[in-house]
Amino acid sequence: YAQYDEPYTGAEQTLIGAGAISQHVNIDHVVSLHDAWNNGADRMSAESRHDFATDTTNLLAIDKFQNTIKHSFAIDGYQPDQSFIIQFCAIQALVKKKYKLTVSRREKAAFYKYLTNQKNYIATQAGKSVTYYESPEQRRRYPDSWPELNSK
């Protein structure tokens, strides 16, 4: 028996029985391996690609069906439930910045749409907190926190 809040749908999931977790839950790369490869991971060393693939900031336990729907889309092609969209967007922005992955114009527009009005947003994942400074004043003081440096 296991219960968890599925972040992409906002629904509480209850799993009962042996094997229920493996049948109904996938581990998703918020920034997919495919998206990363197409936006700079192809030029990373094998060690850096391994670090990206296993970075717990970028991994979420989600419903298997939602993983199929999300596929390899970034924020410009898939939006989760409104209760999670800001965190989803912040994780994507942080991961793309961390690994120096390019950000499309549509992604950048989504980052601005969902994150610009957030103040000192905290993206918490796997027990780690990362401060994502979002007010214009904070972006001026902390320019490295904004993911637009590698735009396409």
Side-chain angles (χ1 to χ4, degrees):
Y1 173 82
Q3 251 184 332
Y4 75 104
D5 293 328
E6 205 290 326
Y8 290 177
T9 63
E12 184 177 288
Q13 299 286 338
T14 302
L15 305 170
I16 300 172
I21 293 174
S22 64
Q23 290 176 357
H24 299 284
V25 177
N26 279 172
I27 301 300
D28 181 48
H29 289 88
V30 178
V31 175
S32 74
L33 299 175
H34 182 263
D35 182 35
W37 184 263
N38 289 335
N39 289 292
D42 61 322
R43 295 181 302 277
M44 288 182 188
S45 68
E47 182 180 359
S48 293
R49 286 196 306 267
H50 177 269
D51 291 346
F52 171 83
T54 59
D55 187 337
T56 57
T57 303
N58 192 37
L59 299 175
L60 284 178
I62 66 165
D63 177 77
K64 190 179 257 184
F65 181 68
Q66 284 302 310
N67 200 19
T68 302
I69 293 170
K70 178 189 169 268
H71 190 52
S72 61
F73 293 114
I75 187 66
D76 60 337
Y78 174 83
Q79 280 98 38
D81 184 74
Q82 289 299 309
S83 65
F84 190 72
I85 196 161
I86 292 169
Q87 188 166 353
F88 179 80
C89 194
I91 293 168
Q92 286 219 340
L94 290 165
V95 168
K96 286 197 168 209
K97 172 107 176 99
K98 180 177 181 179
Y99 292 96
K100 297 179 174 75
L101 302 174
T102 56
V103 177
S104 73
R105 289 181 182 166
R106 290 179 58 196
E107 286 175 286
K108 188 193 293 189
F111 291 156
Y112 277 102
K113 176 181 177 181
Y114 294 113
L115 298 177
T116 297
N117 294 325
Q118 301 305 307
K119 293 193 176 15
N120 207 18
Y121 182 76
I122 304 293
T124 304
Q125 191 56 39
K128 297 178 182 177
S129 293
V130 180
T131 304
Y132 192 82
Y133 298 99
E134 283 311 316
S135 71
E137 178 185 320
Q138 288 173 322
R139 277 201 304 276
R140 281 191 295 277
R141 281 193 287 166
Y142 305 100
D144 290 341
S145 68
W146 194 241
E148 65 185 311
L149 302 176
N150 301 310
S151 298
K152 286 187 197 177

